[in-house]
Amino acid sequence: MINYIKHHEWKVIEDGFDPALNRISESLFSIGNGRMGQRANFEETYSGDSLRGSYIAGVYYPDKTRVGWWKNGYPEYFAKIINSVNWIGIRVWVDEEELDLNKVSILRFYRELDMQKGLLSRQATVEFADGRQLTLRAERFVSIVTPEAGALRYTVKPLNFSGTITVVPYLDGDVENEDANYQEKFWKEIKQEADGNSASVLTETLKTGFRVGAAMSFRLLRNGHPLDFSPQPATRPLYAEASVTVPVKKGEELTLEKLAVVVTSLNFPKQELEAEMLKVLKQIESEGYEMLRREHSNRWAEKWETSDIRIEGDVAAQQGIRFNIFQLNQTYTGEDERLNIGPKGFTGEKYGGVTYWDTEAYCLPFFLGTAPSEVSRNLLLYRYKHLPKAIENAGKLGFTDGAALYPMVTINGEECHNEWEITFEEIHRNGAIAYAIWNYINYTGDYEYLLPFGFEVLLGISRFWSQRVNWSDEKGAFVILGVTGPNEYENNVDNNYHTNNLAVWTLRFTLDVIDYLKKEDPWLYQEVREKLKFNEITETQRWKEIISNIHLPFDKKRGIFLQQENFLNKELIPAEKIDPAQRPINQHWSWDRILRSCYIKQADTLQSLFWFEDDHSEESLRRHFDFYEPLTVHESSLSPCVHAILAAKIGYREKAYELYLRTARLDLDDYNNDTADGLHVTSMGGTWMAFVMGFGGMRVKKQRLIFDPFLPSHWKSWSFRINFRGAHLEVKKTPGTFTVRNHSEVEVAVTVWGKEAIIRDHEKTTFKI
């Protein structure tokens, strides 16, 4: 755990520069707009340790799989959202010496991410070896109004000398990925131009053929007044620049404003890409930096209006939740159903930046609660459109007759993960997608989604479960063998409780959906049934047999479901007994030692208890939590949030707060020593759940919003906004009271501490304990 970020309600602040922490800061101060994103690399040259990254949603490369030995069924590639054109770059020379923050003395350094306005800024005072001192200020953003646009303002001021300053704004498409399997570059040259104060670069990905166009223009100001200048343009393959040298006196400020656009063939036809690029550039030039900045910050104010969570009395907790909300909002907008949410968003290369089950399990609830329902619907449509590939993926593993296995990792529906114990065994992801359909319909009431979209997906998944189980004569039950549950510190186990439970829940839910469709839309149901060659009588009969006869490992002595068969053969030593110097264990122990240990990476059995809490008494939830949480090392970013919600449910309020703070500040404080690789964006949806479902006790049951809120002992109040079926509510908890204010014209049925009420349009109701 590293605690160098200053606590502030709306800002992420780094005061002072430590090169050893630079990669962490590059992750923490990343910015994005759902279409593209940028790590917090410096605009000027920095020859120190850095992971340069500029990423574009949906633009990927199929990097050939690299494994020590091949197994049948291995994906041939690992898809990666690849590093793209560097649009922020500016080289700076002071007289004849280049400014390189790794080679000068940094006398003062301050970096700030203003989450309220969506602005990244930086100030520094540096000294060259000969004693010349210079201050620099930089500010930049990627527009959430014009998603192809980025803008920056960069100012330098000589403090104790006069001389010449040369600035060279550039576009560089000659970039690479640090995680490339074979150290390849993924881009080829199409065209580059530089003329006057503008330049452009057209590049194309190898293999996938995505074309990316980047263009820039800039202007210079001295002490705030525009300068006339004559740039010296230059190009080379994949690169274009313009150089300007300006005499500057001591104390004078030289400012460069650089506007850039990045467009792709994902959104425009290749033959029109260059024209569209120049069209957008002309548009933002007409607006100028200040107007673009104002529009951008105003739009962020609108986002915060519907998604903010406010805490009074705990700045660290406040900063943490806003950081999580900010990153979620700048990673995914829901405007394009072809896009999804990568575990690192636009902040790093680990995990390839593509889709995992994290989206359905952890991110969907956030967008259900804070965005229009179309956003969540698009997340589900993403999976529906990949259903043919899911059926194809299952077919490669020997499944037939329309059985669907959704990929562990994907960009286009194909499986592209290449670790055996994950790719072929972590099949609970199929159930997570089914659960997301239930979650969406339960929350929105959008039953129309079921035909054809939801039902087709559920049928494919149910067919998979029907074939994946087998009958055990020894147990007299159906079993599921050779799996990996959410706890990836256990591989190739039999009868993982979460997997088995989720399988039968999916079958049961699909049966319920069939009953509903036969009643509400029999003609369309019959049409879809024929299309999918669904033999309802035969197939559902097997599902019912599985539901009635599934084996769920259970320990009668402790009264708990076991994570998997033979879990109790392990030596059960609480995680608190591990030497702190050996934590996290995945960075210190051999894999063999981890697999033989009792330690749990993240919620596994407890994941099922979280999702299906109504199937258990509070006493049962407490027994399971008391057994499993002490064995959990929380080395997955997805772990603390689930445990925080359960702790709140069973009345462990201090534990709930402790785990909430861990999930909220996971990256800010680098709990797992891995923030340098990029942020844990998908787990941030879990942080939102930990607050809303934990402290707020919010659930949706029988068309009603249910609240069972509490206030951590040292907080003065908390409040959050929530969208629900066309209504927009603001709820607030203070000592002894809970207030629900309706900011819409749609009335809402709520239950607070067991008391039912209707909150009418634009009314406020206060409940007392």
Side-chain angles (χ1 to χ4, degrees), residues 63-67 179-184:
D63 199 9
K64 183 173 173 56
T65 294
R66 186 169 188 170
V67 293
D179 69 343
N181 283 340
Y182 295 92
Q183 288 72 54
E184 295 176 300

Side-chain angles (χ1 to χ4, degrees), residues 414-560:
E414 288 183 300
E415 177 65 77
C416 66
H417 198 280
N418 50 43
E419 294 178 39
W420 178 273
E421 67 276 7
I422 304 297
T423 308
F424 304 113
E425 294 184 352
E426 201 162 330
I427 55 177
H428 63 87
R429 73 227 189 203
N430 242 18
I433 291 167
Y435 183 82
I437 295 172
W438 174 85
N439 202 7
Y440 169 78
I441 293 170
N442 181 56
Y443 195 94
T444 65
D446 181 15
Y447 287 90
E448 292 183 2
Y449 180 79
L450 289 172
L451 272 180
F453 310 125
F455 173 65
E456 290 192 24
V457 172
L458 289 170
L459 178 60
I461 293 172
S462 293
R463 284 171 162 173
F464 171 82
W465 289 126
S466 180
Q467 296 176 41
R468 186 61 173 80
V469 305
N470 65 272
W471 179 260
S472 166
D473 285 334
E474 181 179 348
K475 293 186 179 297
F478 286 101
V479 296
I480 302 180
L481 308 177
V483 302
T484 297
N487 173 31
E488 292 170 345
Y489 289 175
E490 291 274 14
N491 300 154
N492 197 28
V493 303
D494 294 339
N495 296 312
N496 170 259
Y497 171 75
H498 178 62
T499 304
N500 289 22
N501 190 45
L502 199 49
V504 295
W505 175 87
T506 302
L507 297 175
R508 193 179 296 116
F509 176 48
T510 307
L511 289 171
D512 291 342
V513 168
I514 291 170
D515 289 343
Y516 173 83
L517 296 177
K518 287 166 69 174
K519 178 182 177 182
E520 298 295 329
D521 204 340
W523 299 110
L524 183 55
Y525 169 70
Q526 181 63 25
E527 181 181 317
V528 172
R529 177 183 158 187
E530 292 174 2
K531 167 191 167 185
L532 302 176
K533 299 178 181 179
F534 177 42
N535 188 325
E536 182 182 332
I537 295 175
T538 302
E539 294 191 57
T540 60
Q541 180 59 39
R542 177 166 171 81
W543 299 354
K544 293 173 183 176
E545 291 174 0
I546 295 168
I547 292 168
S548 299
N549 296 282
I550 193 70
H551 174 61
L552 299 173
F554 187 78
D555 176 41
K556 294 181 180 179
K557 178 182 177 181
R558 293 174 175 82
I560 61 169

Side-chain angles (χ1 to χ4, degrees), residues 614-644:
D614 288 345
D615 295 340
H616 303 268
S617 66
E618 187 170 314
E619 181 184 356
S620 173
L621 294 175
R622 189 176 291 110
R623 282 199 306 272
H624 283 84
F625 188 92
D626 289 346
F627 179 77
Y628 284 109
E629 198 282 328
L631 303 177
T632 304
V633 289
H634 298 294
E635 290 176 11
S636 165
S637 64
L638 305 175
S639 184
C641 57
V642 172
H643 289 83

Side-chain angles (χ1 to χ4, degrees), residues 304-316:
W304 285 114
E305 185 69 22
T306 60
S307 62
D308 191 22
I309 291 178
R310 299 177 182 177
I311 300 169
E312 188 180 7
D314 191 335
V315 176

Side-chain angles (χ1 to χ4, degrees), residues 576-589 673:
E576 66 180 8
K577 300 293 185 182
I578 302 172
D579 181 354
Q582 297 292 303
R583 303 283 293 269
I585 61 173
N586 63 25
Q587 296 174 22
H588 294 89
W589 288 11
N673 192 31

Side-chain angles (χ1 to χ4, degrees), residues 262-280:
V262 180
V263 296
T264 79
S265 58
L266 192 68
N267 300 304
F268 301 104
K270 284 186 179 181
Q271 62 272 21
E272 300 174 15
L273 193 65
E274 187 172 7
E276 289 291 341
M277 172 182 73
L278 297 177
K279 176 182 174 182
V280 178

Side-chain angles (χ1 to χ4, degrees), residues 184-205:
E184 295 176 300
K185 291 187 177 181
F186 301 144
W187 297 94
K188 68 178 181 180
E189 167 194 8
I190 300 297
K191 181 181 180 182
Q192 50 276 325
E193 290 184 337
D195 182 18
N197 71 329
S198 63
S200 63
V201 172
L202 284 173
T203 61
E204 188 171 284
T205 57

